Amino acid sequence: MKTTRRHLLAIGASALALAGTAITALPAFAADKPLVMGFSQVGAESEWRTANSNSIKDAAKQAGVTLKFADAQQKQENQVKAIRSFIAQRVDVIAFSPVVESGWDTVLREAKNAKIPVILTDRAVKVSDPSLYVTFIGSDFVEEGRKAGRWLIDWARKNAPTGDVNVVELQGTVGSAPALDRKRGFEEVLQAEPRLKIVRSQSGDFTRAKGKEVMEAFLKAKDKKIHVLFAHNDDMAIGAIQAIEEAGLKPSKDIAIVSIDGVRGAFQAMAAGKLNVTVECNPMLGPQLMQLAKDVVAGKPVAKRITTEEGVFTADVAAKELPNRKY
Ligand code: AHR
């Protein structure tokens, strides 16, 4: 069982009460006060991220959690500052979605020394000591990359049964868990079909503007015909669709497009016949995060990794699914 500062206060108060000591002057009701969570968000780079931030803010209100929300504008240094400020404010629990995977050991050790539990949401970290965070809740990004790869192999067998299939890849933020893992999962699956070749790969930083810019450069190169675009998120795919159209080509027909997230914008693009498929990545982590935070602070045992369930949506189901989408 994990022991947190709030948990210790509650245990201490009950022990003293049992010993017959007056509890009025003690922090005996600390455990009943609203839980205070410091949350450091990556930024506002995508439709997915907006839905994720809204889910966390709404769930905090619903759960009676006092949320201190900090937007890091895609910068690790801002996240480190925010975490240090949460430690200085003595919040009950820190949660964050790390912009990149590495470089967290020092600040997480500071949180641990201050006895403030840390929950990772959405993106994982690489740390030398796994006890620096309590638990991680989010998607299996490697599996998302595999799902994109499996869809592509199936598509290629049906639509381009012979010859090389040239794939361009728009990667997410350099050094981020989803960019590294999705690439890994996608490449792993593509090994089964060596004629599917990634001929260009560059980061579009998970944004529409960068996705468009990088796709324009891919199209301008003209040395290799592009058959397929694999975008690590829907926003970059939507930006790339604009670039493809401006180049006089038909997205999804002249260039097949597979992307990840399953945001409403992707369903609209599929319904309009401009995107072939999106692999779901669920941003609605708020309610589970609040429950998890309460459990952690109460000292209840929690799983080290909690993975969200996700599907794959193709263009043929987009129009029917669109009204059901929550983000
Ligand atoms: O970490 C999740 C990824 O971050 C989403 O796929 C992307 O849209 C977001 O920016």
Side-chain angles (χ1 to χ4, degrees):
M1 182 192 283
K2 290 263 175 299
T3 306
T4 64
R5 201 163 49 86
R6 180 185 274 255
H7 188 217
L8 282 174
L9 286 176
I11 293 170
S14 357
L16 286 169
L18 280 175
T21 312
I23 57 167
T24 42
L26 293 170
F29 300 107
D32 300 328
K33 278 197 203 148
L35 185 140
V36 180
M37 173 188 284
F39 187 90
S40 169
Q41 180 59 288
V42 169
E45 73 282 6
S46 62
E47 231 183 292
W48 188 100
R49 189 64 54 196
T50 306
N52 180 245
S53 294
N54 290 341
S55 169
I56 288 160
K57 289 175 185 169
D58 292 349
K61 266 191 215 134
Q62 287 281 323
V65 169
T66 304
L67 184 70
K68 292 173 185 284
F69 186 94
D71 177 338
Q73 298 178 337
Q74 295 248 66
K75 291 199 176 79
Q76 183 174 32
E77 72 219 57
N78 290 346
Q79 291 202 294
V80 171
K81 270 189 214 149
I83 294 170
R84 291 207 165 114
S85 140
F86 297 147
I87 297 172
Q89 294 172 64
R90 312 283 311 153
V91 298
D92 296 310
V93 59
I94 292 171
F96 81 116
S97 174
V99 61
V100 288
E101 250 186 8
S102 341
W104 299 103
D105 286 71
T106 308
V107 72
L108 293 186
R109 170 105 25 229
E110 290 166 26
K112 190 175 178 190
N113 290 343
K115 296 201 168 21
I116 301 178
V118 172
I119 301 175
L120 303 176
T121 77
D122 159 39
R123 297 183 181 182
V125 293
K126 280 224 156 64
V127 279
S128 52
D129 172 4
S131 79
L132 292 179
Y133 65 90
V134 183
T135 176
F136 164 81
I137 175 175
S139 306
D140 181 340
F141 296 137
V142 179
E143 187 53 26
E144 289 173 352
R146 288 191 195 113
K147 284 177 183 165
R150 284 186 206 115
W151 177 86
L152 179 54
I153 289 183
D154 194 46
W155 175 90
R157 285 178 185 161
K158 287 182 193 139
N159 296 281
T162 54
D164 283 355
V165 175
N166 293 339
V167 182
V168 294
E169 179 183 31
L170 281 170
Q171 294 184 40
T173 301
V174 175
S176 69
L180 295 164
D181 292 355
R182 287 170 183 167
K183 183 169 185 55
R184 184 149 63 90
F186 186 73
E187 285 178 350
E188 180 195 301
V189 166
L190 254 54
Q191 279 173 10
E193 195 91 9
R195 69 193 183 91
L196 303 191
K197 297 185 193 317
I198 301 178
V199 293
R200 289 211 148 74
S201 181
Q202 203 178 310
S203 172
D205 212 11
F206 281 130
T207 68
R208 272 182 205 205
K210 264 293 191 117
K212 179 168 189 268
E213 191 184 308
V214 176
M215 190 68 202
E216 279 166 357
F218 286 165
L219 289 161
K220 267 192 201 123
K222 289 201 193 301
D223 54 342
K224 287 190 176 98
K225 185 168 167 50
I226 301 172
H227 301 108
V228 177
L229 163 66
F230 168 43
H232 287 196
N233 83 342
D234 290 338
D235 280 76
M236 291 189 295
I238 292 166
I241 286 171
Q242 282 175 35
I244 293 168
E245 288 183 318
E246 282 169 22
L249 297 168
K250 287 198 174 59
S252 99
K253 316 256 168 358
D254 296 323
I255 298 178
I257 309 173
V258 48
S259 73
I260 298 181
D261 274 357
V263 296
R264 206 171 271 130
F267 278 78
Q268 283 159 347
M270 287 195 291
K274 297 181 180 190
L275 174 71
N276 301 70
V277 62
T278 184
V279 174
E280 190 179 36
C281 176
N282 188 353
M284 311 303 270
L285 302 175
Q288 261 180 298
L289 171 63
M290 296 308 145
Q291 188 53 53
L292 202 53
K294 286 184 178 179
D295 289 348
V296 165
V297 168
K300 291 188 189 161
V302 294
K304 193 75 184 176
R305 196 190 204 294
I306 299 159
T307 309
T308 33
E309 296 282 318
E310 289 151 350
V312 175
F313 295 92
T314 45
D316 52 330
V317 299
K320 196 168 156 249
E321 276 296 321
L322 192 49
N324 306 328
R325 298 307 290 169
K326 303 226 164 12
Y327 54 93

